[in-house]
Amino acid sequence: MERTFHKQEINMTETLMNRINELIGHYPEENRKSALIPVLHEVQDAHQNWLSIELMDKVAEILNIKPVEVYEVASFYTMFNLKPIGKYMFEFCQTSPCCLNGVENLMDYTCEKLGVKVGETTADGLFEVRGVECLGACGYAPMMQLGDFYKEHLNEQKIDQIIEDARAGKIILHDK
């Protein structure tokens, strides 16, 4: 796994540790590793939506597993971010139904509007555009995920409105 040069403050608060211990408690002691994915979600949410090597090492220590076991999972799933990302991550579905309904043009439009390429974060740290695999909402193509929510039947006007609402702080990212 390639080391990044991004610094991340590790803040394992009492509330976060209580939640982690609750998640671990759902599994038998000999299967603590089974809590890895939910624990990574909680830790990432509590650390500006990304996981540094040092933070993944801390998760390994908590679960009493090897760091490489954490790296394997975190680097495999696109829901885990291994570098700082924009606050508003536009994750466009890039599978056939969305492509047939113009998602690639919408991604280009969004990137042009924000002044970034796919995978880049805007200078203000607010936005990032990504292409992802199937999000399981083919009937609503073209679509994207923004935080915990789907934005469906997208067009340029809807993209403009989403960007405007995000800049105004009107977008809710998580249902927690």
Side-chain angles (χ1 to χ4, degrees):
M1 171 170 267
E2 183 178 319
R3 285 201 177 261
T4 61
F5 297 104
H6 303 286
K7 290 286 184 189
Q8 182 178 42
E9 182 179 331
I10 297 175
N11 188 15
M12 303 302 278
T13 65
E14 182 178 344
T15 302
L16 178 58
M17 286 306 300
N18 287 340
R19 177 67 179 136
I20 289 169
N21 288 325
E22 176 188 338
L23 291 168
I24 292 169
H26 293 196
Y27 304 93
E29 181 62 33
E30 66 274 10
N31 293 331
R32 287 174 68 97
K33 183 179 175 182
S34 298
L36 179 56
I37 289 178
V39 167
L40 282 174
H41 278 297
E42 290 295 327
V43 170
Q44 178 172 269
D45 288 349
H47 289 86
Q48 299 175 313
N49 208 25
W50 73 284
L51 301 165
S52 65
I53 297 285
E54 294 76 18
L55 191 52
M56 289 186 281
D57 289 347
K58 184 68 174 170
V59 169
E61 178 185 318
I62 291 166
L63 293 175
N64 197 28
I65 60 178
K66 295 176 183 170
V68 71
E69 294 176 276
V70 179
Y71 308 156
E72 290 170 340
V73 170
S75 64
F76 178 78
Y77 292 105
T78 59
M79 64 187 121
F80 298 119
N81 304 302
L82 304 181
K83 65 178 182 69
I85 62 164
K87 178 178 180 180
Y88 299 101
M89 171 76 75
F90 292 4
E91 295 180 290
F92 286 93
C93 177
Q94 287 191 292
T95 49
S96 298
C98 285
C99 286
L100 289 170
N101 284 286
V103 78
E104 292 165 322
N105 291 336
L106 284 175
M107 286 178 71
D108 290 344
Y109 176 81
T110 305
C111 285
E112 184 176 319
K113 185 107 177 142
L114 297 173
V116 295
K117 295 177 184 170
V118 172
E120 293 179 345
T121 304
T122 56
D124 60 8
L126 279 181
F127 300 98
E128 187 167 328
V129 177
R130 269 194 197 163
V132 297
E133 290 303 316
C134 185
L135 292 169
C138 302
Y140 306 106
M143 58 86 60
M144 72 171 171
Q145 183 169 342
L146 181 57
D148 292 340
F149 303 99
Y150 284 174
K151 302 296 181 181
E152 303 159 340
H153 300 293
L154 294 172
N155 57 40
E156 291 180 1
Q157 293 76 29
K158 286 184 178 182
I159 295 293
D160 291 342
Q161 188 64 55
I162 291 167
I163 292 170
E164 182 181 320
D165 288 348
R167 285 192 171 127
K170 296 179 183 177
I171 299 283
I172 295 170
L173 293 173
H174 302 290
D175 62 358
K176 296 181 190 181

